[in-house]
Amino acid sequence: MLKSVGHNFYTPFLSLFDQLVLGNCVLLVNLRRMRLEKCWFCSSTVYPGHGIQFVRNDAKIFHFCRSKCHKNFKMKRNPRKVKWTKAYRRLHGKDMTQDSTFEFERKRNRPERYDRNLAENTLKAIKKIDKIRSDRASDHIKNRLKTGKVQRQKEARKQLELGIHLVKAPLALAQDSSLCLPKIKDNVSQAQTEENQPMEE
Amino acid sequence: MVQYNFKKITVVPNGKDFIDIILSRTQRQTPTVVHKGYAISRLRQFYMRKVKYTQQNFHEKLSTIIDEFPRLDDIHPFYGDLLHVLYNKDHYKLALGQINTARNLISKIAKDYVKLLKYGDSLYRCKSLKVAALGRMCTVIKRIGPSLAYLEQIRQHMARLPSIDPNTRTMLICGYPNVGKSSFMNKITRADVDVQPYAFTTKSLFVGHTDYKYLRYQVIDTPGILDRPFEDRNIIEMCSITALAHLRAAVLFFLDISGSCGYSIAQQAALFHSIKSLFMNKPLIIVCNKTDLQPLDGISEEDRKLVMEMKAEAMKTVIGQGGEPTNEEGVLLTMSTLTEDGVIAVKNAACERLLNQRVELKMKSKKINDCLNRFHVALPKARDQKERPACIPQAVLEAKAKQAAEKEKRKTEKELEDENGGAGVYSASLRKNYILANDEWKEDTMPEILDGHNVYDFIDPDILLRLEELEREEGLRQAEEEGDDFEMDGQELSLEEQEALAEIRKKKSLLIQQHRMKKSTAESRPVVPRKFDTDRKFTTRRMGRQLSSLGLDPSLAISRARSKSRGRKRERSVDKREGDGRDAMDIDDNQASKKLRLRSTSRSRSLSRPPGEVIPGEGLKDSAQKIKAIKLAKKSVLKRNKNARRGEADRVIPTLKPKHLFSGKRSIGKTQRR
């Protein structure tokens, strides 16, 4: 559906253009072909047939993956301040920002002549690069959380030390220095068993 | 242009209407209400305004009439003469003069009466002065009534005059009545002039337009002229005479060869000679019409002689212009409007003659030097007979030849398409002309998207190298990572420690919860002293359990607690019985203590209590009060419970719109409201 607000234009994402042949060679140009875009607000990928594309009067194009992002944009929210967006996460160091794996994916404007081997290699390479990148990203997050872990362990140890008297009396602790918890002994049942014993006898 | 368009003159109202219009306007546009109690200046002003207003309106309207009617001296003499012929110049001028005088008279009247009004001393006097003024003005208009009517008639007639531009290219058609002028007019233009067998069918000038060599020519059809002395001519003939006299046009004199118009060639020749003075400086063509009835060659000798005389006269006009007397054919022409034979030739000849004459005149005028360059293109004179064609290099000629040959040899895509079934069936293979390293790759489809990435973004000739580098880096990094991980593991808690920690936290949260509950209910909770223990929390069993959960042996504590709560009697008896210095508090001996236990008076009360029994510390006076209190409590809860409400604040409606209440018909009764 096409919506025009004032002079700005909205188009649905899927553009129905044919392959372009320039001269006598096939160009690996993404000229009017299907392209995965990045949502301007949350930076997730927008697949063909999804989302909205907003063209502003100054010819800047904004892609949105879903109406949530679109509505946030219309509310003039800054994605760098909205917690769940990639922009925020990168800015506040939650996610990996600089890495050599990002260099591989670059929008290329100069077309290359088609080469089957090159295409094959590229496809294989994409998979590997992906794996490396995701590994690095998860490591980044793990490292980030490590300091918290250390702190929490220290706290836990302290709490254990201070609060052990709630579960094991110091007297019992002195006798038995291991931390195995004592079992509850019901003295009435104990007495009963004792009573029973002579009865049985 | 006022010159030839009289359609824009406003309607001249007749006398009575004129008065009505002006007076009603005065009544509407000036204030109407006045009372004799007003100040005298106000009264005077009121009536003066009326008088002045009326005068102004008359003045305005009469001025427009005078201005809009054309002044016969200011317009083109053709129109001046035409109007004179039609309406008589003198009458016209007189009428307009009368209007003018009327205008002046009215102004004078108004001036006089305004002067008088200045000294009017009562409403009545002012009013009568105004009445007199207006009355006199209206009388003036009434007197010029006939002039107004005359002018109106003239205006109507003038509006219907044909709009003839006196300065443009014009062809004038003249001759005896019934010779075929109007038929010729109909043939060459789109004018639809009446053609009838009786004479004077055409009673006024008619204008048509025709084209020749991309120029527009006016063709004017005149009423027929009879051979009479000038003074005897009637208005209709005078129209054509006027046209002949004043318009610079090509004249086509029509001659009826066959005589079917009712007049012989001799009579027509006589007419020709009588008006030939009007043909000065005008290209003249003699047109012999109705040749289908009588061809030109078949006329009698005298007639032929007359015709030749006319032709000679016409030739004179050609020579008189200083042009070469070569073109004889353009002077005497034959045609037949019925068979349309020669009509176009006549028109062309006339147009040509007129055009040449006009061009010559223009050439002789002074202004020509400004635009002379537009007429004359200078070409260099050839100095010898040598041919000098354009120079084209040989290579270009060869290439051109080759291209032409190629165009014929190559099979186009369109032909291919046509062969294979046309546009809808055949789709051209765009890939077949691709230039690739290996021709097998021509039909390859390359994926554009993989795993959420655009493949085109990754394409790089040295992607393999870079990938290798990356993998090496990754290997190094992972080795480092493992090293780091090892360091970290030492500080973890053991399983036992974790369990203990979990228990600690649970206990703590329980304590906190209890404390919070206590705190929130502190004000509404009765404070029962511990010794009454309504909840039966403080039992030795419980204490024992708690102590043992902490890992302590509770038995000592329990026995101590129990012994403390023993009655006095029992204590003393114990003393008496065992006087061997054993401590009264020693309850380790099971046998003795069992008995004592059974008979202990401090044994907690049996668990069932009568309903109305008042526990001291509860806050109720006696059992009657307690029973009443219990009853009240139950009553307050009953209704709520019946409505399945969990408490006072429970306002939950499980189904807001239960279907059975909001839909369905009733088996008996009406469903007027739900």
Side-chain angles (χ1 to χ4, degrees), chain B residues 8 30 52 58 99 107 141 157 176 187 192 243-244 256-257 267 273 314 334 345 382 461 485 525 568 581 592 596:
Chain B
K8 295 273 179 60
T30 50
K52 273 200 212 138
F58 273 127
I99 307 276
S107 301
I141 298 294
H157 198 275
Y176 252 85
K187 285 283 181 283
D192 209 5
L244 273 174
D256 183 355
I257 305 253
Q267 287 174 306
H273 290 295
T334 59
D485 277 344
R525 195 173 11 106
R568 275 217 232 130
L596 291 169

Side-chain angles (χ1 to χ4, degrees), chain A residues 15-30:
Chain A
S15 348
L16 308 164
F17 293 110
D18 283 330
Q19 289 183 340
L20 191 74
V21 176
L22 294 184
N24 280 334
C25 55
V26 63
L27 301 174
L28 298 178
V29 172
N30 218 353

Side-chain angles (χ1 to χ4, degrees), chain A residues 19 21 24-26 28-30 33-36 45 47-48 100-101 103-108 112-119 121-123 125-130 132-133 135-136 139 143 146 149-150 153 156-157 159-160 163-169 171-172 178-188, chain B residues 430-431 433-437 440-441 444-461 463-464 466-467 470-471 473-474 477-478 481 484-485 488 490-493 496-497 499-501 503-505 507-508 511 540-541 544-546 548-555 558 562 590 594 597:
Chain A
Q19 289 183 340
V21 176
N24 280 334
C25 55
V26 63
L28 298 178
V29 172
N30 218 353
R33 291 206 184 148
M34 277 189 235
R35 214 198 126 76
L36 303 176
T45 53
Y47 273 81
S100 52
T101 46
E103 304 295 312
F104 283 84
E105 185 168 7
R106 223 178 351 112
K107 185 162 188 207
R108 277 153 236 271
E112 298 273 342
R113 203 175 284 273
Y114 177 70
D115 191 33
R116 189 188 276 179
N117 303 323
L118 179 62
N121 293 335
T122 313
L123 292 171
I126 288 176
K127 284 208 151 54
K128 292 190 193 156
I129 292 166
D130 242 0
I132 294 174
R133 197 198 68 243
D135 281 343
R136 287 191 187 178
D139 281 345
N143 284 336
K146 224 185 269 185
K149 195 166 168 196
V150 168
Q153 278 172 3
R157 211 168 277 287
Q159 204 176 32
L160 187 62
I164 194 67
H165 65 279
L166 289 173
V167 291
K168 192 161 186 184
L171 203 63
S178 82
L179 281 166
C180 59
L181 299 170
K183 303 259 175 349
I184 299 170
K185 283 188 265 180
D186 193 350
N187 64 336
V188 175
Chain B
L430 301 164
R431 292 167 175 260
N433 290 329
Y434 282 178
I435 303 168
L436 296 170
E440 290 174 352
W441 300 345
D444 266 2
T445 50
M446 171 142 163
E448 299 175 28
I449 295 170
L450 178 68
D451 285 347
H453 299 285
N454 293 305
V455 175
Y456 292 128
D457 290 347
F458 279 85
I459 289 192
D460 199 355
I463 194 164
L464 283 176
R466 291 171 67 194
L467 184 64
L470 182 72
E471 292 191 322
E473 254 183 57
E474 187 66 11
R477 191 187 70 85
Q478 282 194 346
E481 281 278 325
D484 282 341
D485 277 344
M488 281 305 305
Q491 295 187 26
E492 282 211 7
L493 294 173
E496 274 181 354
E497 286 178 332
E499 276 180 17
L501 189 62
E503 268 298 318
I504 293 171
R505 287 184 172 153
K507 270 248 165 81
K508 239 189 160 166
L511 283 173
T540 42
R541 188 181 299 177
R545 243 187 278 143
Q546 281 181 347
S548 63
S549 76
L550 284 176
L552 301 164
D553 185 19
S555 35
I558 288 169
R562 292 231 170 101
N590 284 343
K594 181 183 165 184
R597 253 184 270 139

Side-chain angles (χ1 to χ4, degrees), chain B residues 455-559:
Chain B
V455 175
Y456 292 128
D457 290 347
F458 279 85
I459 289 192
D460 199 355
D462 22 289
I463 194 164
L464 283 176
L465 292 168
R466 291 171 67 194
L467 184 64
E468 254 182 84
E469 237 184 78
L470 182 72
E471 292 191 322
R472 237 182 299 135
E473 254 183 57
E474 187 66 11
L476 288 172
R477 191 187 70 85
Q478 282 194 346
E480 272 180 44
E481 281 278 325
E482 282 173 43
D484 282 341
D485 277 344
F486 275 145
E487 295 169 21
M488 281 305 305
D489 281 342
Q491 295 187 26
E492 282 211 7
L493 294 173
S494 71
L495 194 62
E496 274 181 354
E497 286 178 332
Q498 278 178 8
E499 276 180 17
L501 189 62
E503 268 298 318
I504 293 171
R505 287 184 172 153
K506 203 159 83 177
K507 270 248 165 81
K508 239 189 160 166
S509 70
L510 266 173
L511 283 173
I512 291 168
Q513 257 180 37
Q514 278 175 10
H515 173 74
R516 284 188 180 151
M517 277 204 309
K518 254 199 200 167
K519 203 165 76 162
S520 65
T521 59
E523 285 171 17
S524 52
R525 195 173 11 106
V527 183
V528 182
R530 197 169 180 175
K531 64 181 180 179
F532 297 123
D533 188 21
T534 38
D535 296 334
R536 285 174 243 275
K537 275 201 287 185
F538 303 104
T539 57
T540 42
R541 188 181 299 177
R542 204 150 178 261
M543 186 178 74
R545 243 187 278 143
Q546 281 181 347
L547 284 174
S548 63
S549 76
L550 284 176
L552 301 164
D553 185 19
S555 35
L556 259 178
I558 288 169
S559 56

Side-chain angles (χ1 to χ4, degrees), chain A residues 66-102:
Chain A
R66 55 201 197 283
S67 62
K68 178 178 179 181
C69 302
H70 188 41
K71 284 179 181 158
N72 269 304
F73 173 79
K74 285 197 279 194
M75 276 195 270
K76 297 191 175 191
R77 286 205 183 143
N78 188 353
R80 285 160 186 257
K81 293 193 177 174
V82 179
K83 290 267 170 63
W84 50 271
T85 56
K86 209 69 174 156
Y88 176 94
R89 291 189 65 87
R90 292 226 181 92
L91 184 69
H92 290 74
K94 313 268 183 211
D95 276 350
M96 186 168 70
T97 29
Q98 281 174 332
D99 196 39
S100 52
T101 46
F102 293 143

